[in-house]
Amino acid sequence: MAKGYWIARVDIRDAERYKDYVAAAKPAFEKYGAKFLARGGNFHRLEGAVRSRNVVIEFPSLQAAVDCYNSPEYQIAAAIRQEVADAEMVVVEGV
């Protein structure tokens, strides 16, 4: 079974409140087997628009990645994130 990946590009507007998002999201990530492959850090723009933070999260399957996002646990965290950051997020299936 192919793994699933969240790819998120984020600009944080309130760094202190973003910590609340990270704490609130942790139970969902643990429940659905998330493994962080990239979480911020240095990057180099190659093409197109960029955001200041790039995140790649691996899940055991595409369905687990979708279920995590839609879970009640993550939706609490998402509400916080949406108040304090701007983001684009996609879920992709691995090869």
Side-chain angles (χ1 to χ4, degrees), residues 26-34 71-73:
K26 186 176 179 180
F29 292 146
E30 290 175 349
K31 179 178 180 179
Y32 290 94
S71 71
E73 299 91 345

Side-chain angles (χ1 to χ4, degrees), residues 34-89:
K35 178 182 176 186
F36 283 82
L37 302 180
R39 192 177 206 170
N42 293 327
F43 66 92
H44 298 275
R45 179 182 128 2
L46 300 175
E47 294 183 27
V50 297
R51 291 205 180 261
S52 60
R53 184 172 178 83
N54 300 283
V55 180
V56 179
I57 308 170
E58 180 182 83
F59 290 85
S61 67
L62 181 66
Q63 191 62 56
V66 171
D67 290 347
C68 181
Y69 181 84
N70 291 322
S71 71
E73 299 91 345
Y74 186 75
Q75 287 304 302
I76 291 168
I80 297 168
R81 179 183 41 76
Q82 291 162 356
E83 290 178 7
V84 302
D86 299 310
E88 288 94 28
M89 296 174 60

